Amino acid sequence: MTEFGPVLRRFRKAAGVSQEGLAGVSGVSVEAIKTLEAGRRRYPRAQTVELLADSLPLDVDERAELMAAATRPKAGSDPLPVDVVDFVGRAEQIAEVSDLLSGGDQTPGVVVITAIAGMGGVGKTALAVRVARDLADRFADGVLYVNLRGFGVGGPMTPLEALSALLQQLGFALQRPPESVEEAAALFRTACATRNLLVVLDNAAAVEQVVPLLPGTATCAVIVTSRRALVGLPGARPLELGVLAEDEALALLTSAAGRERVERDPQAALKVVALCGSLPLALRIAGTRLAAESTWTVADLARRLADESVRLDVLGAAESGVRASIALSLAGASAQDVAAAELFGLLGLHEGDELDLKVAARLVDRPEAEVEPLLEHLVDLHLLESGSPRRYQFHDLVRAYARELAPADRTAARERVLALYVAMAWQARVKLGVSRTWYDEQWTAGVEHLEYDEVMAWLDAEAGEILAAARRPTIDRATLVKLAGGMTRFWIIRRRHTEGAELGELALTALREDPTCASELALSRISYHVAAHYSSRSDSETGAAHLRVAIAAAPMETDPLNHVVCTIALAQDLERLDQLDEATELARSGLEGALQLANEIIESDAHFSIGSLAGRRGHFAEQDEAFNLATATLRRSRPEILHLLLPDIGASYLRSGRPESARTWLRDHLPDSKRSGDKAAIAEHLHWLGVAETALESHDGARLALTEALNVIQGSNDELEAQIRHALGTALSGLGLAEPAREQWSSALELYRRYGLPQAAEVRSLLGSDA
């Protein structure tokens, strides 16, 4: 590289002009000329060069030489890695990064940085290289690139090594390389000060590695990629790069494997995409493997990937591929990296889909306060995802690797987690009030300090995992029965009747197989709650059958409380089955028993049953009186659960053929339900109000109530949502809105079918042949 200072000095001396003389002729200051000739400033402004060239007796070639020496060279000749041939998709992310780096919202004086983070193999480098090549022409002084080796063989590049590489790309061949990071960083910032550069810092280990490498001027822009979330990187705009969308993932698989083979079996191809978790690295390896194995079909590949024990073998050899990529993310040397890596293997013991903090702490048998920061560190490394506070998920391929590292014996970890499930379930029951006849304080050990709302919110999030654990053949019968007994009230309160019935039936099967696995009281109590779920699913016949078992298992002499409770519940089922005489006898017997026990909660339930039966017989004054007694008794004894009774009374008025009374009752008591904050109860209350409005042909009022109900419950209770959509479709049909009505009915039918609910037949008939 020819430097400007020596060239200027040679031409000045050849002309026999001093620095002062040249300054006088050209108008450029003596100090500026001295600075240029000394090399302290290598690239003068174009106007300065023109003034100096005009003041010296230069021929055409000499003038061109002086101008060339003043021209700033571009950064090295294409230091970027080779662009990925089969790059697909990412249009939105490319546009986002490109817009930022092009200076659309750039603050004057601030270097623009985009930090692309994501799990190994997701395509961070490919995206950065694609954007850098697309934007190269917009950066007059070129593109710099350095692989910081943050996650790779040999360990991370030091900031001093990285700065030396960047300076070399800028054309600095220094006789004395900088001895410190501070000196090198200052030189780099000075070199960038008047340049227009794009700097790509790939595979960064940490913020501390990146900060010294940042230019100090807004004429430059920076792309940083890392497997780690670079929280705290000054001025950075973060971009979390997720896996590919299904259509993009399929396109990548097709590109790697060949269109003909993929199109021959599109369903198997989609299965391969799912088993690869839409991860670009996995898809590229799977497609390449398929292309190399001429005898394999796409279905053959899908079958191999379906076996989790060999999935990572299919997706690369031990030293390369997906397994190696995940291992690199765990290879950090800091104390926190090492502790998180140790924890990671133990997390492979988890058998569910989503990992809660409390569950993780039980798995590894360590306090939550120690476990949470390590889980968050794994999130930063993109080895875990966290969609909500204290809850985590694995990518399927990362889970497969964690399970490879997990200890072979899962028994102790499994028992600790099941003990947590039992404890949280029974703590919810304890906070509501629980009979001491079937309860042991040890069942809630470790969670006694938790309040009702906290426990219920936890159960809301974890209920699916609890049910999945109960389905596994590894659970012992005694634990299964305790778990079902603890969860009974949760399922009822949250109106999750299909799940509640399933868990209850599993426990009843365990009791039939081994009656000694739990207290004799368990059969009656679980049968009672299973009956309640069937009744709420409009299957009072099955509910009544379970209640007769419950009553037989709880004789009045030995278990009066449960005997009375089950007697009243049986009366309610028989009322719905039009067996009014036996139901009336049972309801009055239940009231007598409740008074003997001096239990006002059960007394309230008995008054409700008597009122429902009176209404069915046309004794409306008696019905009103009984309902008033039921609510007054509950308001006096347990006002915090009054809202659970209110929608049932509205539904009973409807069964009695009194929609006007139902509407009045539900309107008057809606504030009571809303004050409870119980979403399921509020939605159910609004649902029955909508049904009452429809029965009175007030279709617009029904639409308003049911739309509000849907807004309250949507996404949190599919069974109740199905009923609300069913009723909303009917209201919309009454308003003459045929297409919106069909949309609601179609959604309701899908949910009814998912849970095997009998109302599916009714909705199917409303939809006609299209269903």
mmCIF file of all heavy atoms in Angstrom, residues 158-168 172-188:
data_model
loop_
_atom_site.group_PDB
_atom_site.id
_atom_site.type_symbol
_atom_site.label_atom_id
_atom_site.label_comp_id
_atom_site.label_asym_id
_atom_site.label_seq_id
_atom_site.Cartn_x
_atom_site.Cartn_y
_atom_site.Cartn_z
ATOM 1 N N THR A 158 -9.561 -14.128 21.896
ATOM 2 C CA THR A 158 -9.471 -13.003 22.820
ATOM 3 C C THR A 158 -9.794 -11.711 22.075
ATOM 4 O O THR A 158 -9.620 -11.626 20.844
ATOM 5 C CB THR A 158 -8.069 -12.894 23.429
ATOM 6 O OG1 THR A 158 -7.144 -12.536 22.384
ATOM 7 C CG2 THR A 158 -7.645 -14.204 24.086
ATOM 8 N N PRO A 159 -10.239 -10.673 22.779
ATOM 9 C CA PRO A 159 -10.487 -9.391 22.102
ATOM 10 C C PRO A 159 -9.261 -8.856 21.368
ATOM 11 O O PRO A 159 -9.384 -8.278 20.283
ATOM 12 C CB PRO A 159 -10.909 -8.472 23.255
ATOM 13 C CG PRO A 159 -11.519 -9.394 24.259
ATOM 14 C CD PRO A 159 -10.700 -10.639 24.181
ATOM 15 N N LEU A 160 -8.060 -9.075 21.951
ATOM 16 C CA LEU A 160 -6.843 -8.584 21.288
ATOM 17 C C LEU A 160 -6.612 -9.337 19.977
ATOM 18 O O LEU A 160 -6.255 -8.729 18.955
ATOM 19 C CB LEU A 160 -5.638 -8.751 22.222
ATOM 20 C CG LEU A 160 -4.312 -8.168 21.714
ATOM 21 C CD1 LEU A 160 -4.455 -6.688 21.370
ATOM 22 C CD2 LEU A 160 -3.208 -8.388 22.760
ATOM 23 N N GLU A 161 -6.823 -10.643 19.970
ATOM 24 C CA GLU A 161 -6.681 -11.420 18.735
ATOM 25 C C GLU A 161 -7.696 -10.959 17.691
ATOM 26 O O GLU A 161 -7.372 -10.836 16.502
ATOM 27 C CB GLU A 161 -6.892 -12.904 19.029
ATOM 28 C CG GLU A 161 -5.777 -13.552 19.833
ATOM 29 C CD GLU A 161 -6.109 -14.969 20.259
ATOM 30 O OE1 GLU A 161 -7.326 -15.282 20.418
ATOM 31 O OE2 GLU A 161 -5.182 -15.767 20.453
ATOM 32 N N ALA A 162 -8.930 -10.710 18.140
ATOM 33 C CA ALA A 162 -9.967 -10.276 17.207
ATOM 34 C C ALA A 162 -9.646 -8.903 16.625
ATOM 35 O O ALA A 162 -9.812 -8.671 15.412
ATOM 36 C CB ALA A 162 -11.322 -10.252 17.913
ATOM 37 N N LEU A 163 -9.159 -7.984 17.472
ATOM 38 C CA LEU A 163 -8.815 -6.649 16.993
ATOM 39 C C LEU A 163 -7.659 -6.708 15.997
ATOM 40 O O LEU A 163 -7.634 -5.975 14.991
ATOM 41 C CB LEU A 163 -8.461 -5.749 18.175
ATOM 42 C CG LEU A 163 -9.654 -5.280 19.009
ATOM 43 C CD1 LEU A 163 -9.202 -4.746 20.354
ATOM 44 C CD2 LEU A 163 -10.451 -4.221 18.245
ATOM 45 N N SER A 164 -6.693 -7.583 16.250
ATOM 46 C CA SER A 164 -5.568 -7.732 15.317
ATOM 47 C C SER A 164 -6.075 -8.207 13.954
ATOM 48 O O SER A 164 -5.634 -7.720 12.905
ATOM 49 C CB SER A 164 -4.539 -8.714 15.882
ATOM 50 O OG SER A 164 -3.988 -8.213 17.081
ATOM 51 N N ALA A 165 -7.024 -9.163 13.972
ATOM 52 C CA ALA A 165 -7.589 -9.666 12.718
ATOM 53 C C ALA A 165 -8.333 -8.567 11.972
ATOM 54 O O ALA A 165 -8.236 -8.452 10.738
ATOM 55 C CB ALA A 165 -8.508 -10.845 12.993
ATOM 56 N N LEU A 166 -9.075 -7.756 12.694
ATOM 57 C CA LEU A 166 -9.827 -6.667 12.061
ATOM 58 C C LEU A 166 -8.892 -5.621 11.480
ATOM 59 O O LEU A 166 -9.110 -5.113 10.362
ATOM 60 C CB LEU A 166 -10.776 -6.033 13.088
ATOM 61 C CG LEU A 166 -11.951 -6.899 13.546
ATOM 62 C CD1 LEU A 166 -12.629 -6.299 14.770
ATOM 63 C CD2 LEU A 166 -12.964 -7.069 12.419
ATOM 64 N N LEU A 167 -7.834 -5.282 12.214
ATOM 65 C CA LEU A 167 -6.885 -4.289 11.717
ATOM 66 C C LEU A 167 -6.157 -4.792 10.480
ATOM 67 O O LEU A 167 -5.883 -4.026 9.546
ATOM 68 C CB LEU A 167 -5.884 -3.928 12.817
ATOM 69 C CG LEU A 167 -6.463 -3.076 13.959
ATOM 70 C CD1 LEU A 167 -5.505 -3.038 15.139
ATOM 71 C CD2 LEU A 167 -6.778 -1.664 13.472
ATOM 72 N N GLN A 168 -5.834 -6.086 10.442
ATOM 73 C CA GLN A 168 -5.211 -6.653 9.255
ATOM 74 C C GLN A 168 -6.119 -6.527 8.039
ATOM 75 O O GLN A 168 -5.672 -6.219 6.927
ATOM 76 C CB GLN A 168 -4.848 -8.114 9.495
ATOM 77 C CG GLN A 168 -3.647 -8.310 10.397
ATOM 78 C CD GLN A 168 -3.354 -9.775 10.657
ATOM 79 O OE1 GLN A 168 -4.040 -10.648 10.146
ATOM 80 N NE2 GLN A 168 -2.319 -10.041 11.449
ATOM 81 N N PHE A 172 -3.706 -2.690 7.893
ATOM 82 C CA PHE A 172 -2.653 -2.257 8.801
ATOM 83 C C PHE A 172 -1.612 -3.374 8.925
ATOM 84 O O PHE A 172 -1.901 -4.457 9.438
ATOM 85 C CB PHE A 172 -3.220 -1.940 10.187
ATOM 86 C CG PHE A 172 -3.907 -0.610 10.263
ATOM 87 C CD1 PHE A 172 -5.195 -0.452 9.771
ATOM 88 C CD2 PHE A 172 -3.246 0.484 10.788
ATOM 89 C CE1 PHE A 172 -5.827 0.769 9.827
ATOM 90 C CE2 PHE A 172 -3.876 1.714 10.844
ATOM 91 C CZ PHE A 172 -5.163 1.871 10.355
ATOM 92 N N ALA A 173 -0.397 -3.109 8.451
ATOM 93 C CA ALA A 173 0.715 -4.039 8.657
ATOM 94 C C ALA A 173 1.656 -3.355 9.640
ATOM 95 O O ALA A 173 2.626 -2.690 9.270
ATOM 96 C CB ALA A 173 1.421 -4.334 7.337
ATOM 97 N N LEU A 174 1.355 -3.458 10.895
ATOM 98 C CA LEU A 174 2.043 -2.686 11.928
ATOM 99 C C LEU A 174 3.380 -3.319 12.290
ATOM 100 O O LEU A 174 3.473 -4.526 12.527
ATOM 101 C CB LEU A 174 1.160 -2.579 13.174
ATOM 102 C CG LEU A 174 -0.219 -1.932 12.937
ATOM 103 C CD1 LEU A 174 -1.077 -2.054 14.178
ATOM 104 C CD2 LEU A 174 -0.050 -0.476 12.552
ATOM 105 N N GLN A 175 4.408 -2.494 12.353
ATOM 106 C CA GLN A 175 5.712 -3.004 12.762
ATOM 107 C C GLN A 175 5.680 -3.428 14.235
ATOM 108 O O GLN A 175 6.346 -4.385 14.629
ATOM 109 C CB GLN A 175 6.790 -1.931 12.545
ATOM 110 C CG GLN A 175 7.038 -1.620 11.070
ATOM 111 C CD GLN A 175 8.133 -0.573 10.904
ATOM 112 O OE1 GLN A 175 8.552 0.070 11.864
ATOM 113 N NE2 GLN A 175 8.592 -0.408 9.667
ATOM 114 N N ARG A 176 4.951 -2.680 15.055
ATOM 115 C CA ARG A 176 4.810 -3.046 16.462
ATOM 116 C C ARG A 176 3.332 -3.248 16.768
ATOM 117 O O ARG A 176 2.592 -2.292 16.948
ATOM 118 C CB ARG A 176 5.361 -1.946 17.373
ATOM 119 C CG ARG A 176 5.374 -2.330 18.856
ATOM 120 C CD ARG A 176 5.771 -1.155 19.729
ATOM 121 N NE ARG A 176 4.780 -0.091 19.689
ATOM 122 C CZ ARG A 176 3.633 -0.110 20.414
ATOM 123 N NH1 ARG A 176 3.330 -1.139 21.167
ATOM 124 N NH2 ARG A 176 2.806 0.913 20.327
ATOM 125 N N PRO A 177 2.872 -4.505 16.795
ATOM 126 C CA PRO A 177 1.453 -4.755 17.072
ATOM 127 C C PRO A 177 1.071 -4.209 18.442
ATOM 128 O O PRO A 177 1.903 -4.157 19.361
ATOM 129 C CB PRO A 177 1.354 -6.292 17.047
ATOM 130 C CG PRO A 177 2.549 -6.740 16.279
ATOM 131 C CD PRO A 177 3.623 -5.741 16.570
ATOM 132 N N PRO A 178 -0.180 -3.782 18.611
ATOM 133 C CA PRO A 178 -0.628 -3.285 19.915
ATOM 134 C C PRO A 178 -0.426 -4.336 21.002
ATOM 135 O O PRO A 178 -0.641 -5.533 20.782
ATOM 136 C CB PRO A 178 -2.113 -2.999 19.696
ATOM 137 C CG PRO A 178 -2.253 -2.820 18.226
ATOM 138 C CD PRO A 178 -1.237 -3.735 17.602
ATOM 139 N N GLU A 179 0.003 -3.883 22.167
ATOM 140 C CA GLU A 179 0.292 -4.813 23.257
ATOM 141 C C GLU A 179 -0.888 -5.002 24.195
ATOM 142 O O GLU A 179 -0.882 -5.917 25.017
ATOM 143 C CB GLU A 179 1.509 -4.311 24.046
ATOM 144 C CG GLU A 179 2.789 -4.278 23.211
ATOM 145 C CD GLU A 179 3.969 -3.765 24.013
ATOM 146 O OE1 GLU A 179 3.752 -3.357 25.177
ATOM 147 O OE2 GLU A 179 5.091 -3.793 23.482
ATOM 148 N N SER A 180 -1.889 -4.157 24.105
ATOM 149 C CA SER A 180 -3.038 -4.271 25.014
ATOM 150 C C SER A 180 -4.340 -4.125 24.239
ATOM 151 O O SER A 180 -4.355 -3.574 23.127
ATOM 152 C CB SER A 180 -2.983 -3.192 26.101
ATOM 153 O OG SER A 180 -3.203 -1.912 25.518
ATOM 154 N N VAL A 181 -5.414 -4.614 24.841
ATOM 155 C CA VAL A 181 -6.733 -4.473 24.230
ATOM 156 C C VAL A 181 -7.081 -3.002 24.082
ATOM 157 O O VAL A 181 -7.623 -2.562 23.050
ATOM 158 C CB VAL A 181 -7.802 -5.200 25.069
ATOM 159 C CG1 VAL A 181 -9.206 -4.904 24.542
ATOM 160 C CG2 VAL A 181 -7.547 -6.692 25.079
ATOM 161 N N GLU A 182 -6.751 -2.212 25.098
ATOM 162 C CA GLU A 182 -7.094 -0.785 25.066
ATOM 163 C C GLU A 182 -6.410 -0.079 23.892
ATOM 164 O O GLU A 182 -7.029 0.728 23.186
ATOM 165 C CB GLU A 182 -6.686 -0.117 26.385
ATOM 166 C CG GLU A 182 -7.497 -0.542 27.597
ATOM 167 C CD GLU A 182 -7.129 -1.938 28.091
ATOM 168 O OE1 GLU A 182 -6.043 -2.449 27.707
ATOM 169 O OE2 GLU A 182 -7.922 -2.524 28.843
ATOM 170 N N GLU A 183 -5.120 -0.389 23.700
ATOM 171 C CA GLU A 183 -4.385 0.238 22.601
ATOM 172 C C GLU A 183 -4.937 -0.198 21.246
ATOM 173 O O GLU A 183 -5.141 0.630 20.346
ATOM 174 C CB GLU A 183 -2.903 -0.144 22.709
ATOM 175 C CG GLU A 183 -2.036 0.516 21.635
ATOM 176 C CD GLU A 183 -0.589 0.057 21.706
ATOM 177 O OE1 GLU A 183 -0.236 -0.693 22.641
ATOM 178 O OE2 GLU A 183 0.183 0.434 20.792
ATOM 179 N N ALA A 184 -5.213 -1.503 21.111
ATOM 180 C CA ALA A 184 -5.738 -2.012 19.845
ATOM 181 C C ALA A 184 -7.131 -1.465 19.563
ATOM 182 O O ALA A 184 -7.453 -1.112 18.415
ATOM 183 C CB ALA A 184 -5.771 -3.545 19.874
ATOM 184 N N ALA A 185 -7.972 -1.389 20.603
ATOM 185 C CA ALA A 185 -9.329 -0.878 20.412
ATOM 186 C C ALA A 185 -9.314 0.583 20.005
ATOM 187 O O ALA A 185 -10.095 1.020 19.143
ATOM 188 C CB ALA A 185 -10.140 -1.071 21.692
ATOM 189 N N ALA A 186 -8.400 1.369 20.611
ATOM 190 C CA ALA A 186 -8.295 2.787 20.249
ATOM 191 C C ALA A 186 -7.859 2.941 18.801
ATOM 192 O O ALA A 186 -8.379 3.788 18.052
ATOM 193 C CB ALA A 186 -7.309 3.484 21.180
ATOM 194 N N LEU A 187 -6.896 2.117 18.385
ATOM 195 C CA LEU A 187 -6.431 2.173 16.998
ATOM 196 C C LEU A 187 -7.550 1.780 16.039
ATOM 197 O O LEU A 187 -7.742 2.408 14.993
ATOM 198 C CB LEU A 187 -5.222 1.251 16.827
ATOM 199 C CG LEU A 187 -4.578 1.213 15.437
ATOM 200 C CD1 LEU A 187 -4.103 2.609 15.025
ATOM 201 C CD2 LEU A 187 -3.404 0.240 15.422
ATOM 202 N N PHE A 188 -8.322 0.741 16.421
ATOM 203 C CA PHE A 188 -9.420 0.297 15.563
ATOM 204 C C PHE A 188 -10.494 1.378 15.446
ATOM 205 O O PHE A 188 -10.996 1.653 14.358
ATOM 206 C CB PHE A 188 -10.013 -0.996 16.127
ATOM 207 C CG PHE A 188 -11.171 -1.540 15.331
ATOM 208 C CD1 PHE A 188 -11.010 -1.932 14.008
ATOM 209 C CD2 PHE A 188 -12.437 -1.651 15.900
ATOM 210 C CE1 PHE A 188 -12.081 -2.426 13.275
ATOM 211 C CE2 PHE A 188 -13.500 -2.148 15.175
ATOM 212 C CZ PHE A 188 -13.328 -2.538 13.860
#
